[in-house]
Amino acid sequence: MEHKRLSPFPADFLWGSASAAYQVEGAWDQGGKGPSVWDNFVRIPGKTFKETTGDVAVDHYHKYKEDVALMAEQGLKAYRFSIAWSRILPEGSGAVNEEGLRFYENLIDELLAHQIEPVVTLYHWDIPQALQDQYGGWESRQVIADFTNYATLVFNRFKGKVKHWVTLNEQNVFISHGYMLATHPPGVSDPKRMYAANHHANLANASAIKAFRELGVPGKIGPSFAYGPNYAIDSKPENVLAALNAEEYNANFWMDVYMWGEYPKAVFTWLEEQGWAPDILPGDTELLKQGAPDFMGLNYYQTATNAFNPIDGVGLGKMNTTGEKGTTEEQGIPGLFKNAANPYLEKTNWDWEIDPTGLRIGLRRIASRYRVPVFITENGLGEYDKLTAESEIHDDYRIDYLRRHALAIQEAISDGVEMIGYCTWSFTDLLSWLNGYQKRYGFVFVDRDEADEKDLKRYKKDSFYWYKKTIAANGANLIDEK
Ligand code: GAL
């Protein structure tokens, strides 16, 4: 739909930016922190780009005051970060590390002192290694109680100061990469185990939300989901069905459970047929239904375009983690769908399609299917950036990307979608899990690379100033910049 005039952004719209503990903090073994599964996984040869680790990352642990000062200079309204579970509970449960809690308390207080709202993610992929060793982490139902216990500790400590909470970040990503693609810890490739671990994560998510409500924590809570809306490559009915399969399998399979406590029928039936369906025990569905979130957190990067894929068709393929354009392999789920290149979309050097209209489509689908407000908890462009001799970074491609996506949000608001805010990924440059440090997302350039930590000095990119202007105008500048 086209509007004669776009609606303005709400006055309290949260213009923010995001990060995750493992990707920025460093200090991996300092301040009483226990190891997480990522601390060990990155040490397995060949797992990450040029064997990079987050041991130092961008040293946010020591430089958080400098980073918050930059956020304040930009006028940021919200900063989303994650708490490392093993910094609070080095063994995953039991003894509490007060020094870890104090680090996050200092960060939260620093943000509040600068009128920046802290948005806290409880889990961004770094389960304590101790729980992995003890009972296989997400593969055991014990994780439900342990995650709830950890969440409760954090709720009690920070309630009143934090108004927006994110439970699990991209459950679909850490589960599929961890238990199917074997590219994230624990490096397993077994669908039966994957769906069991996923079911436990669903239960842990619901249990934490239930605890949040029982404790009377003021504020709102929800998961962040990595949603890439699915398109059919054309109007051939087999391809339209493939896109429906992809939407049900890749999106509804998670979001329906969050919102309604039930798996989509067609996907669950298909899982039963394969012998991969999780065991749903008495009481599970009741718990899931008690954990309906207040909002859907959306991490949006790209859409997917689908085509028919026969039962003996293409399966899992390799991702591009090197930044050499065109190296992503064809992939799909035999019998359900495969991914096809969309002829209308440009790609980044990591082969991620750029599709601002896809964001509007995703927002519309979520809003009309689930009728909840949406909080965009991540969106951004990973690219090579160059520090010039004048110490500047001219990232006009990032400004263009963010401007077009922010405008798509304004269009969705004009369509009637209720929005809480927009956190770009990311504030500073950071470790990009499997892609090293060369794939940069930040408004703030951090001088380091894979081989050399250098001085980790911060430099403001051109996009820093563009976002500053956009926040000050509450987005009113976007339409004119079109
Ligand atoms: C997401 C993830 C982030 C970040 C981002 C960009 O999947 O939540 O941690 O890595 O992708 O690559």
Side-chain angles (χ1 to χ4, degrees):
M1 61 191 58
E2 280 198 278
H3 302 283
K4 293 205 183 94
R5 269 188 64 238
L6 292 184
S7 308
F9 285 86
D12 58 353
F13 188 75
L14 292 176
W15 294 95
S17 200
S19 72
Y22 189 68
Q23 298 179 274
V24 294
E25 283 179 8
W28 75 286
D29 60 351
Q30 294 176 33
K33 177 176 165 294
S36 82
V37 289
W38 271 93
D39 290 313
N40 292 337
F41 186 75
V42 292
R43 296 182 206 288
I44 305 171
K47 288 291 183 191
T48 63
F49 181 70
K50 298 195 174 165
E51 319 290 318
T52 37
T53 74
D55 288 3
V56 176
V58 296
D59 203 22
H60 179 67
Y61 185 78
H62 296 107
K63 293 181 185 292
Y64 75 91
K65 284 196 177 173
E66 186 184 339
D67 291 340
V68 174
L70 284 163
M71 292 173 204
E73 181 186 337
Q74 198 185 38
L76 215 63
K77 305 263 187 221
Y79 174 53
R80 171 183 177 234
F81 60 92
S82 80
I83 292 182
W85 183 345
S86 64
R87 208 178 265 299
I88 306 291
L89 293 155
E91 297 290 320
S93 61
V96 178
N97 177 35
E98 175 58 29
E99 204 178 336
L101 278 168
R102 218 172 319 118
F103 166 69
Y104 295 108
E105 186 158 70
N106 290 340
L107 173 59
I108 289 169
D109 289 345
E110 191 73 13
L111 289 164
L112 291 174
H114 289 89
Q115 289 82 48
I116 303 168
E117 187 181 320
V119 176
V120 171
T121 306
L122 292 170
Y123 184 75
H124 205 123
W125 305 354
D126 45 358
I127 193 168
Q129 182 65 45
L131 301 186
Q132 191 64 39
D133 295 342
Q134 227 177 292
Y135 54 69
W138 295 104
E139 289 191 70
S140 162
R141 282 187 175 245
Q142 180 57 38
V143 76
I144 305 163
D146 286 342
F147 181 70
T148 309
N149 170 54
Y150 153 64
T152 300
L153 192 78
V154 175
F155 293 150
N156 280 331
R157 181 72 171 230
F158 301 129
K159 75 172 161 195
K161 291 186 176 182
V162 177
K163 293 193 208 129
H164 288 94
W165 299 82
V166 172
T167 46
L168 303 179
N169 180 72
E170 299 189 349
Q171 182 185 334
N172 53 330
V173 172
F174 78 78
I175 290 288
S176 58
H177 282 258
Y179 297 90
M180 182 89 104
L181 300 161
T183 47
H184 283 190
V188 170
S189 187
D190 183 329
K192 177 82 192 156
R193 288 171 63 186
M194 170 177 131
Y195 290 108
N198 184 62
H199 187 59
H200 302 152
N202 279 327
L203 293 165
N205 179 71
S207 166
I209 294 178
K210 188 174 168 235
F212 180 86
R213 305 237 163 88
E214 283 169 358
L215 290 165
V217 183
K220 295 193 159 69
I221 189 162
S224 279
F225 184 69
Y227 177 37
N230 294 280
Y231 304 150
I233 186 75
D234 58 25
S235 56
K236 192 175 178 195
E238 286 79 356
N239 293 332
V240 174
L241 182 61
L244 176 62
N245 291 340
E247 187 78 7
E248 296 229 49
Y249 179 84
N250 280 334
N252 303 350
F253 185 70
W254 279 277
M255 288 195 283
D256 282 10
V257 179
Y258 293 145
M259 296 308 308
W260 301 329
E262 287 172 22
Y263 290 97
K265 197 85 185 127
V267 184
F268 205 81
T269 306
W270 185 82
L271 292 182
E272 284 177 324
E273 206 179 291
Q274 319 302 314
W276 298 341
D279 295 329
I280 300 188
L281 302 187
D284 284 1
T285 304
E286 289 67 24
L287 175 58
L288 293 174
K289 285 182 189 289
Q290 286 174 307
D294 298 308
F295 62 83
M296 186 64 74
L298 167 63
N299 291 1
Y300 175 78
Y301 290 92
Q302 56 182 333
T303 47
T305 301
N306 306 107
F308 172 73
N309 191 22
I311 218 156
D312 56 353
V314 55
L316 305 177
K318 261 210 182 133
M319 274 173 71
N320 165 1
T321 57
T322 58
E324 285 166 51
K325 206 170 180 166
T327 54
T328 302
E329 291 176 3
E330 192 186 33
Q331 49 182 303
I333 305 288
L336 294 186
F337 59 88
K338 69 176 176 187
N339 290 346
N342 188 320
Y344 300 102
L345 301 176
E346 296 283 324
K347 286 181 179 166
T348 71
N349 280 309
W350 278 261
D351 299 324
W352 292 28
E353 281 167 337
I354 300 176
D355 184 7
T357 302
L359 173 56
R360 185 180 180 183
I361 293 169
L363 290 169
R364 288 272 297 275
R365 286 189 187 170
I366 294 174
S368 68
R369 191 173 174 92
Y370 304 114
R371 310 253 162 181
V372 281
V374 187
F375 190 172
I376 299 177
T377 39
E378 285 181 29
N379 170 245
L381 176 69
E383 264 308 336
Y384 299 111
D385 289 328
K386 221 176 107 241
L387 184 64
T388 67
E390 295 76 38
S391 297
E392 291 170 350
I393 302 95
H394 302 304
D395 58 342
D396 45 304
Y397 37 88
R398 182 168 293 106
I399 294 174
D400 186 59
Y401 179 101
L402 295 174
R403 184 185 52 73
R404 289 164 65 206
H405 284 79
L407 193 58
I409 300 170
Q410 194 178 4
E411 288 166 337
I413 291 171
S414 309
D415 296 341
V417 177
E418 198 184 329
M419 298 286 316
I420 295 175
Y422 177 49
C423 285
T424 68
W425 185 267
S426 51
F427 184 70
T428 61
D429 287 341
L430 39 70
L431 170 68
S432 197
W433 304 106
L434 306 176
N435 313 284
Y437 290 91
Q438 60 167 4
K439 190 183 187 193
R440 296 175 181 273
Y441 281 93
F443 292 124
V444 175
F445 184 95
V446 179
D447 198 14
R448 69 155 297 167
D449 58 29
E450 284 76 19
D452 189 353
E453 278 152 26
K454 301 193 196 170
D455 56 6
L456 296 165
K457 208 170 152 195
R458 274 80 166 135
Y459 297 91
K460 289 167 262 180
K461 303 182 191 177
D462 288 354
S463 58
F464 178 96
Y465 300 101
W466 172 82
Y467 201 51
K468 177 177 178 164
K469 180 178 74 182
T470 302
I471 298 170
N474 197 25
N477 55 320
L478 296 169
I479 189 79
D480 302 327
E481 290 178 12
K482 203 171 161 183

